[in-house]
Structure formats: C-alpha cells, structure tokens
Amino acid sequence: MSELPPDDSDRFEEIVDAETDRDPDLAVIEAGSRTLRTQGGPPEADVPARPADPETDKALREVEAELATRWGETKLEPSVSRITALMDVLGDPQRAYPSIHITGTNGKTSTARMIEALLGAFDLRTGRYTSPHVQSVTERISLDGAPISAERFIETYDDIKPYIEMVDGQQEFRLSFFEVLTDMAYAAFADAPVDVAVVEVGMGGSWDATNVIDGDVAVVTPIDLDHTDRLGETPGEIASEKAGIVKQDATVILAQQPVDAAQVLLKKAVEVDATVAREGLEFGVVSRQVAVGGQLLTLRGLGGEYEEVYLPLHGPYQAHNAAVALAAVEAFFGVGSQRPEPLDLDTVRKAFAAVTAPGRLEVVRRSPTVVLDAAHNPAGARATAEAVGEAFDFSRLIGVVGASGDKNVRGLLEAFEPIFAEVVITQNSSHRAMDADELAAIAVEVFGEDRVQVEPRLDDALEAAITLAEEEGEFAGGGVLVTGSVITVGEARLLLGRG
C-alpha cells in the first residue's frame, strides 16, 4: 500500500494554515518524584496531539499567536542587551542552577539529549532547552527528559508577560520570539527547580540570547559552514562567534574541529583560563560496530574507557556526539580533575540505551521504509548520507527534499546525489521555505532532469516517493528519506502518523 494514513492528507491544509500549531513529538509528561522517575524509565518518544482540554488548547494557541507576532529566528539584531534587561527584572533566574552550554554547527540537539539522559541517569533533575522544534514549540523546554506540559508552558508565559512588556517599552526593538522562549526556559528551570540546565544556542554564541548564562561546561560540536551571512565565511570566523560561550574558568569540551576553528577556540580558552578536553586526544571513540537498531561503542572518557555501550542511533557522527556528551558529563562531575575514577559503567550504559532523537534518521514506516532526517546544510547532509549507507541496505533510495531558502541547497543536494536514485522536490509550510520550482531547478542541475520530480504539496511528495520506492517490488529493499529542513521533517512526521 502506498497511501498515507487515513485522514492525514486532509490535515495538510491545517499545517499550512497554522505553521506554529504542530503537535508535540515527545511525551508530555509532568515530572513526578525523583524515585518515580528513576523507576519509570525514559519518557515515551511519541505523544498525543494537541491538549485534549479545549480551554487549554485555546490558551496555548493564544500564546503561540502572541509569540508569532515577534521577530522570527532569522531576523536578528546581534545583542544580548534585551535578554539581559529581562533577566535583570526577573532576578536572574538563569543563575539559580549550574549549566552545560552547547554550540557548534551540527549535532547540538542530539548531543544535548545524550547529556540530558546521562545526567538524569545519575538522578539529577534536568532542564533542557533546544531549538528548533520538530512539531511543537513546547518541545524546546524540557524537564526531566520530557517537554513541559501545555499548561505549564502557558503559566510560564503568563507569569513573565508583564515583565516582557515592560522591557519591550524600554528597548529600541521588542524582544524576539527566541529571546522570549529563552527567558521562559530559564524561568521554568528556576521554578522547577532543576539541578542542572542543558542549553543549546540558537545561533552563534557570543550574542546568542542563551549566552546570559555562565556555563560550567562549554561544549562545541563540529563547526562547519552555515549561516555564513551572519557568522563568517570560514570555520575560523564562525568559531570566533561560537567561542563566546566559553567563560572564565569553565571546562571546554571540543569535538573534532577544522584546524582554523580549533586554533580560535583554544586561544579563547587560554584567555579565560578555561580547561580544555579535545576529542581524539583527551577523549574519543575507541571502536564502534553496527548493531540492530543502532551501534555498539567503546568510548574513552576523561576517566577511562567505557565498553559495550549501546546507542540506539545510527551513523558515525552519533558515536562522536556520544563521546562528546560523555566527556561533558564527566567534566560536570569533576572526572579527570577533582575525582580520578570514571562514571559508573552500568549507569552510563543504561542512559545511552534510552536516548532518542526524533527526526534524526528516524524510521517512521516500513514496507517501504521511510526515514526522516533533519539535515539542512551540506555538512549535515554528508553525515546523513554516510550513515544511511552504513545502517540501511536500500537497493533503491528515493529522496524527498524540502529546504529553506536561506540555506546552501546546492551543497545539500550534491551531498545526497550519490545515494538518491531519484528525488522528489517539495516545500514545507514555513515562510522560509524555498519555492519548489526554484529548488527543482537546482536539483535538475545536480541530478539530471530524469531523476527529479516536483510535488509542491508535501503529502503528494510523500505519496510519490513511496510509489517510486515500491517500483522494484515489496521485497526489493526500496526506501524513502525525507530531509532538507526540520520543518519538513516535522510536517512529514505528522502526515505519516507520528505525533
């Protein structure tokens, strides 16, 4: 059968009309007691739809609508003055807990989720702030591994709304969408309260709204070219912005970096007396082998080796993310400095085995297999292409690509060209989406006209790709990879019955 799930195609118009009204893609579970959290295991990865209570759903939509009136995440005025002013009137909630701050070009969210899982396994109450969201804005603010409930999201916004309006009136520009969400996260973490916050930057580092925290541990995932119009045209220039999260006396965990980026980051560490741990030297991946549903790793941490660690995610890049996450948590606990012994191996194994990463090589359907991946720049696409080749034995892979207009779409398409037999070009509902015909013109130059099909509606694109994948027969090993944008992946996830 190549049809989409019943009724889901009718929901596509609703998605287009209300971009911000995506359903949560993770379980909305309010945190219980620490004992119950430990016994209950990790939260479920899939969730119900909008709040069942009509009044709660209405209130959440009103908050989403108010947030949508503010500057979006692509319109920036590089400054932390507004968020600093708001933090000040709120009593600096971001200083109520220690934090791990994460920047880089790719792998930030997956690394943040791994760090969160490790900290939670050691019985710490965590707050996690990541962006962008896959389906619901509430995903961005998590407590104990699950997005805050719609009710708590609304309450948090209502609590700080008067202060937001006060600061708006004092500044040249109103607080942006991302600045307000960042403040909500920091306030929610203080109110919980959390033992540690895991915070992913939105863009860059030095002037990113999240940078009002002083991270005890600063993590830099691999730096590559992205947002070059705002951050710089070389890895070294981009690293200069991202190095802004490295604070006085912090510990810096560096993933493998281009030489010019590494030089910039190390120089910054020296300037602020930070301690540095580098992947490939102080920590790293000792070995990895493909396993059912993921991979089996031996990781070298700051305190020794951790053998037979199962990670239910695909690709070499996720193994490296795991090494970075482990080193970050070791550094947070003082392993390698205050304490010589490594973390408890069984706890580490349990934490990694429970990691989920929605929209990152996520299988959402079988016969044919449909995989979702949020790669949106050339470096991410190259990593995804490598991982697909390793983890899946597709005889014929069809791509569904919907990208944002401000990205290097040619580089992204060129990275996928070797693994796609054909590509279906589409577009998502975002105002940032590249027009399907414009994207298709580039795709024809990369793939050739015979390998490109255009379906502007995402539901039609999915249907077409699934049909193409089935052409070789039910048991021939055809598959579909949906990629190009987090928003494309989120909307496909809904259409395919997840979330």
Side-chain angles (χ1 to χ4, degrees):
M1 297 292 288
S2 62
E3 292 81 7
L4 296 171
D7 300 326
D8 276 345
S9 59
D10 295 335
R11 297 169 62 191
F12 185 74
E13 294 297 341
E14 180 181 346
I15 296 173
V16 173
D17 292 338
E19 176 193 346
T20 59
D21 290 338
R22 302 185 190 93
D23 299 334
D25 78 312
L26 301 175
V28 182
I29 302 173
E30 274 298 302
S33 71
R34 187 161 296 161
T35 300
L36 288 175
R37 289 202 307 275
T38 301
Q39 294 175 349
E44 293 297 322
D46 291 310
V47 293
R50 304 278 311 180
D53 177 58
E55 291 302 313
T56 301
D57 185 55
K58 178 183 177 182
L60 179 59
R61 290 181 185 276
E62 289 173 354
V63 172
E64 291 170 334
E66 289 186 25
L67 290 171
T69 66
R70 298 183 173 273
W71 275 3
E73 290 168 283
T74 58
K75 186 173 182 179
L76 304 169
E77 193 276 317
S79 168
V80 293
S81 60
R82 294 177 300 279
I83 188 77
T84 299
L86 183 55
M87 293 291 105
D88 183 59
V89 298
L90 289 172
D92 287 325
Q94 79 280 13
R95 306 201 187 285
Y97 38 80
S99 57
I100 297 176
H101 204 179
I102 307 169
T103 190
T105 301
N106 291 307
K108 295 187 296 294
T109 299
S110 294
T111 302
R113 295 175 72 92
M114 293 179 196
I115 290 172
E116 173 190 53
L118 283 163
L119 293 169
F122 284 97
D123 206 27
L124 292 184
R125 187 164 207 202
T126 58
R128 172 173 51 85
Y129 181 52
T130 54
S131 60
H133 54 275
V134 176
Q135 289 174 201
S136 169
V137 70
T138 60
E139 296 166 29
R140 298 186 181 217
I141 305 172
S142 293
L143 293 173
D144 301 305
I148 60 175
S149 67
E151 291 84 357
R152 194 162 194 165
F153 188 88
I154 296 162
E155 290 168 3
T156 301
Y157 180 76
D158 288 343
D159 285 346
I160 67 172
K161 182 177 178 180
Y163 303 98
I164 293 172
E165 293 172 346
M166 181 191 308
V167 172
D168 280 343
Q170 298 170 348
Q171 300 291 319
E172 181 180 1
F173 304 106
R174 296 171 70 215
L175 288 150
S176 69
F177 169 86
F178 186 74
E179 287 170 331
V180 172
L181 279 178
T182 300
D183 180 72
M184 289 175 62
Y186 290 162
F189 296 162
D191 185 62
V194 301
D195 298 316
V196 55
V198 182
V199 178
E200 173 189 339
V201 303
M203 184 185 300
S206 60
W207 44 257
D208 187 75
T210 63
N211 205 30
V212 292
I213 61 171
D214 292 326
D216 300 76
V217 178
V219 176
V220 187
T221 65
I223 291 175
D224 211 298
L225 301 182
D226 199 11
H227 302 296
T228 53
D229 56 329
R230 298 180 177 92
L231 301 180
E233 297 182 353
T234 68
E237 291 176 354
I238 293 171
S240 296
E241 284 294 334
K242 295 185 182 294
I245 74 164
V246 179
K247 304 300 174 57
Q248 189 72 34
D249 299 321
T251 300
V252 187
I253 305 299
L254 295 182
Q256 292 179 342
Q257 303 291 347
V259 173
D260 57 342
Q263 290 173 337
V264 170
L265 293 164
L266 292 171
K267 180 180 178 181
K268 174 69 177 206
V270 170
E271 290 172 354
V272 297
D273 293 323
T275 302
V276 177
R278 300 155 295 179
E279 184 182 7
L281 294 173
E282 285 78 26
F283 70 92
V285 179
V286 176
S287 66
R288 55 181 294 273
Q289 60 187 82
V290 177
V292 176
Q295 51 194 310
L296 192 65
L297 310 175
T298 294
L299 303 175
R300 185 176 75 252
L302 305 180
E305 287 197 358
Y306 298 78
E307 298 179 339
E308 296 184 355
V309 175
Y310 175 70
L311 180 68
L313 303 176
H314 300 291
Y317 70 97
Q318 291 290 19
H320 291 285
N321 288 341
V324 170
L326 177 61
V329 173
E330 285 183 308
F332 182 79
F333 285 122
V335 175
S337 55
Q338 290 94 347
R339 49 180 286 187
E341 69 275 9
L343 300 176
D344 179 73
L345 177 57
D346 287 340
T347 304
V348 169
R349 286 172 174 165
K350 178 181 177 182
F352 276 120
V355 169
T356 60
R360 277 74 181 176
L361 282 181
E362 179 186 19
V363 177
V364 294
R365 173 182 167 148
R366 301 286 185 181
S367 283
T369 298
V370 178
V371 183
L372 308 181
D373 191 85
H376 55 273
N377 56 46
R382 288 192 295 270
T384 296
E386 180 184 11
V388 167
E390 176 184 89
F392 301 95
D393 189 23
F394 292 127
S395 60
R396 175 180 171 84
L397 181 61
I398 309 300
V400 174
V401 179
S404 296
D406 58 348
K407 296 295 183 180
N408 180 359
V409 294
R410 180 179 296 276
L412 182 141
L413 291 170
E414 287 174 345
F416 283 124
E417 190 276 333
I419 69 167
F420 287 164
E422 298 183 53
V423 62
V424 180
I425 298 298
T426 188
Q427 66 189 74
N428 59 56
S429 67
S430 169
H431 65 279
R432 295 171 55 198
M434 176 174 279
D435 177 77
D437 289 333
E438 183 181 352
L439 180 58
I442 301 173
V444 167
E445 295 177 2
V446 174
F447 288 84
E449 188 173 354
D450 292 344
R451 295 168 63 194
V452 177
Q453 182 171 332
V454 185
E455 296 290 351
R457 285 175 54 111
L458 182 55
D459 55 347
D460 292 337
L462 293 170
E463 181 77 23
I466 289 170
T467 299
L468 288 169
E470 290 176 332
E471 284 184 354
E472 292 187 349
E474 183 178 356
F475 302 107
V480 174
L481 175 63
V482 184
T483 189
S485 164
V486 175
I487 296 170
T488 300
V489 163
E491 292 175 354
R493 206 169 187 273
L494 277 176
L495 290 168
L496 291 165
R498 297 296 293 268

